[in-house]
């Protein structure tokens, strides 16, 4: 029994074809939107590529870009097909193409759904990439004279100013690394030498942060050094006073920024998926209705259209049986008789059964 069968008159078939022609052109615009969203996300990731570790963060924008391009091509072809379906004579040349087109469109529509879901599942991969990338960027902050790293100081400073953040997880991350270049350390100073000797790795560690961590909205002059030393500053209590530097870590700030973008893209992709799915259903109805018109031979008469010719269970069983048969056809036998040179020789008995063969007498 056909699933969701609908009866179409010639007028309804023509109107459906015209509506689908318009909707396919709207779908071309939706493909351009998907392409633009993917390109925008890729550019935003590329802007801060230096503070991101290499990973799968580019898989989402690449998928959106690819799906957007495919959407433009498929829906452009779909518009041409639907336009010709208003004429039964023109439809005959698309009859063999319609079903493969619907299958390809279904797979493409599924890819849109996958891309939309990836917008909500990429947070963990993005967080790990930001954590590793920011850790290395802060580690090499001081290397302003080393080629390939000399730009990191500017990148980190601009990042902390733009996103109002400090460090990777927080401002304390700067306490654990040497972020002042050795060329700016006075090795004749006893204080510098004592600090270098006090560290096992010989690093110049201070309880201070770069200037880019300072909050310009604070009424107090920025305290960058000796943040945990209350006696070093007048009327200052590290534990109770609100610091005049950014407390939020850059990993959290960037993660919130990209998550908001991906959620917006995910909502747009879900809406486009629903729209493409509705167009696909309409094309399926048009294809089955036109096919039945040609089978009936009455181009002006009524015809039935449906989503599935049989029930869901029967259709599933039929497709599973096809897959099993394909698997059996490609299966390589591993039995001991596979080396028999006559294994591929077919037994042709011309339809006769129980044929008695005469034995040839042995020569005397």
């Amino acid at each position: 029994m056909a699933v969701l069968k609908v009866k179409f008159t010639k007028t309804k078939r023509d109107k459906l074809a015209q509506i689908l022609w318009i909707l396919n052109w709207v779908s071309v615009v939706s493909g351009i939107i998907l392409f633009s969203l993917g390109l925008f996300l890729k550019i935003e990731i590329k802007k801060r590529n230096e503070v991101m570790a290499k990973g799968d963060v580019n898989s989402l924008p690449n998928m959106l870009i690819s799906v957007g391009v495919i959407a433009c091509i498929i829906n452009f072809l779909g518009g041409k097909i639907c336009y010709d379906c208003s004429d039964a004579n023109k439809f005959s040349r698309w009859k063999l193409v319609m079903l493969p087109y619907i299958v390809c469109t279904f797979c493409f529509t599924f890819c849109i759904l996958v891309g939309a879901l990836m917008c909500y599942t990429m947070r963990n991969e993005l967080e790990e990439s930001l954590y590793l990338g920011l850790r290395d960027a802060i580690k090499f902050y001081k290397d302003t004279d080393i080629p390939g790293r000399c730009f990191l100081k500017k990148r980190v400073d601009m990042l902390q100013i733009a996103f109002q953040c400090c460090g990777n997880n927080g401002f304390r991350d700067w306490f654990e690394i040497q972020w002042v270049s050795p060329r700016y350390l006075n090795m004749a100073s006893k204080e510098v030498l004592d600090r270098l000797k006090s560290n096992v790795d010989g690093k110049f560690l201070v309880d201070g942060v770069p200037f880019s961590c300072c909050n310009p909205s604070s009424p107090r002059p920025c305290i960058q050094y000796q943040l945990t030393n209350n006696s070093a500053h007048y009327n200052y209590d590290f534990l109770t006073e609100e610091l005049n530097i950014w407390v939020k870590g850059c990993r959290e700030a960037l993660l919130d920024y990209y998550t908001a973008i991906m959620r917006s893209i995910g909502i747009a992709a879900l809406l486009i998926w629903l729209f493409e799915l509705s167009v696909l259903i309409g094309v399926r109805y048009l294809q089955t209705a036109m096919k039945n018109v040609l089978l009936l031979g009455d181009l002006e008469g009524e015809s039935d259209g449906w989503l599935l010719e049989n029930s869901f269970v029967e259709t599933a069983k039929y497709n599973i049986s096809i897959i099993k048969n394909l698997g059996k056809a490609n299966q390589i036998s591993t039995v001991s008789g596979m080396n028999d040179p006559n294994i591929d020789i077919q037994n042709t008995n011309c339809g006769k059964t129980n044929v008695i063969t005469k034995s040839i007498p042995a020569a005397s």
Side-chain angles (χ1 to χ4, degrees), residues 84-85 87-95 98 290 294:
D84 289 345
C85 283
D87 186 352
N89 295 323
K90 291 183 179 180
F91 170 77
S92 58
R93 64 184 179 186
W94 296 107
K95 185 173 70 172
M98 283 288 285
M290 294 300 296
L294 295 180

Side-chain angles (χ1 to χ4, degrees), residues 220-277:
R220 181 169 187 161
C222 184
I223 298 176
Q224 294 178 241
Y225 297 96
Q226 296 182 330
L227 291 173
T228 57
N229 187 2
N230 293 334
S231 61
H233 310 283
Y234 175 74
N235 194 20
Y236 178 77
D237 189 348
F238 170 70
L239 297 177
T240 60
E241 184 173 352
E242 183 178 354
L243 297 178
N244 57 359
I245 60 173
W246 305 118
V247 180
K248 191 176 186 179
C250 290
R251 176 175 58 86
E252 182 183 355
L254 284 173
L255 188 61
D256 293 342
Y257 174 75
Y258 283 112
T259 299
I261 293 177
M262 290 192 297
R263 283 178 180 174
S264 300
I265 294 176
I267 293 173
L270 282 174
L271 293 176
I272 292 175
W273 171 72
L274 291 173
F275 178 75
E276 293 286 349
L277 187 63

Side-chain angles (χ1 to χ4, degrees), residues 3-255:
V3 177
L4 298 177
K5 184 167 66 173
V6 178
K7 190 172 291 293
F8 290 91
T9 61
K10 185 180 185 305
T11 303
K12 289 183 178 180
R13 289 194 300 268
D14 293 343
K15 286 184 178 180
L16 179 60
Q18 293 171 2
I19 292 172
L20 289 174
W21 174 73
I22 297 173
L23 292 180
N24 271 281
W25 281 108
V26 176
S27 296
V28 172
V29 177
S30 68
I32 296 174
I33 293 174
L34 277 177
F35 176 83
S36 303
L37 291 174
L39 186 62
F40 169 74
L41 182 58
K42 192 175 184 67
I43 292 173
E44 286 298 310
I45 292 175
K46 187 72 175 178
K47 285 180 181 178
R48 296 159 192 94
N49 193 41
E50 296 86 359
V51 294
M52 290 185 182
K54 294 182 179 179
D56 297 331
V57 292
N58 283 310
S59 59
L60 175 59
N62 290 338
M63 169 171 263
L64 292 174
I65 291 173
S66 301
V67 169
V69 173
I70 295 173
C72 294
I73 297 173
I74 286 183
N75 290 307
F76 178 80
L77 177 61
K80 174 61 176 173
I81 293 174
C82 293
Y83 181 80
D84 289 345
C85 283
S86 58
D87 186 352
N89 295 323
K90 291 183 179 180
F91 170 77
S92 58
R93 64 184 179 186
W94 296 107
K95 185 173 70 172
L96 298 178
V97 181
M98 283 288 285
L99 188 58
Y101 168 79
I102 291 173
V103 173
C104 292
T105 306
F106 177 79
C107 296
F108 144 75
T109 307
F110 180 75
C111 290
I112 297 179
L113 178 61
V114 172
L117 295 178
M118 285 178 63
C119 292
Y120 297 94
T121 58
M122 286 287 293
R123 182 181 174 88
N124 292 333
E125 289 82 356
L126 180 62
E127 183 175 10
E128 182 180 1
S129 177
L130 287 170
Y131 172 76
L132 296 176
L134 284 167
R135 184 194 62 183
D136 293 338
I138 292 174
K139 178 181 177 182
F140 302 128
Y141 178 87
K142 68 180 186 301
D143 299 336
T144 54
D145 299 329
I146 299 177
R149 299 178 185 173
C150 55
F151 60 88
L152 283 176
K153 179 183 181 300
K154 180 180 178 181
R155 291 285 191 275
V156 173
D157 284 334
M158 296 299 293
L159 178 70
Q160 292 187 146
I161 293 172
F163 286 87
Q164 300 180 356
C165 57
C166 186
N168 191 347
N169 300 310
F171 67 93
R172 290 179 179 273
D173 293 332
W174 293 105
F175 298 176
E176 302 171 1
I177 63 164
Q178 178 180 335
W179 53 272
V180 180
S181 177
R183 67 180 295 186
Y184 301 113
L185 295 178
N186 183 10
M187 294 303 176
S189 173
K190 183 177 182 301
E191 181 183 355
V192 173
L193 294 176
D194 291 342
R195 191 173 290 275
L196 290 173
K197 292 178 182 179
S198 63
N199 185 265
V200 177
D201 299 326
K203 295 180 179 180
F204 184 77
L205 303 182
V206 294
D207 56 343
V209 295
F211 77 97
S212 53
C213 286
C214 293
N215 181 359
S217 300
S218 175
R220 181 169 187 161
C222 184
I223 298 176
Q224 294 178 241
Y225 297 96
Q226 296 182 330
L227 291 173
T228 57
N229 187 2
N230 293 334
S231 61
H233 310 283
Y234 175 74
N235 194 20
Y236 178 77
D237 189 348
F238 170 70
L239 297 177
T240 60
E241 184 173 352
E242 183 178 354
L243 297 178
N244 57 359
I245 60 173
W246 305 118
V247 180
K248 191 176 186 179
C250 290
R251 176 175 58 86
E252 182 183 355
L254 284 173
L255 188 61

Side-chain angles (χ1 to χ4, degrees), residues 281-323:
I281 293 172
V283 173
R284 174 59 174 168
Y285 272 116
L286 181 62
Q287 181 254 334
T288 52
M290 294 300 296
K291 176 184 175 182
N292 289 329
V293 162
L294 295 180
L295 291 175
L296 294 173
D298 184 8
L299 302 182
E300 302 294 330
E302 294 183 345
S303 62
D304 293 332
W306 52 67
L307 286 182
L308 296 175
E309 188 172 1
N310 300 311
S311 64
F312 289 104
V313 177
E314 292 175 352
T315 303
K317 288 181 179 179
Y318 176 73
N319 292 328
I320 291 173
S321 65
I322 292 177
I323 295 173

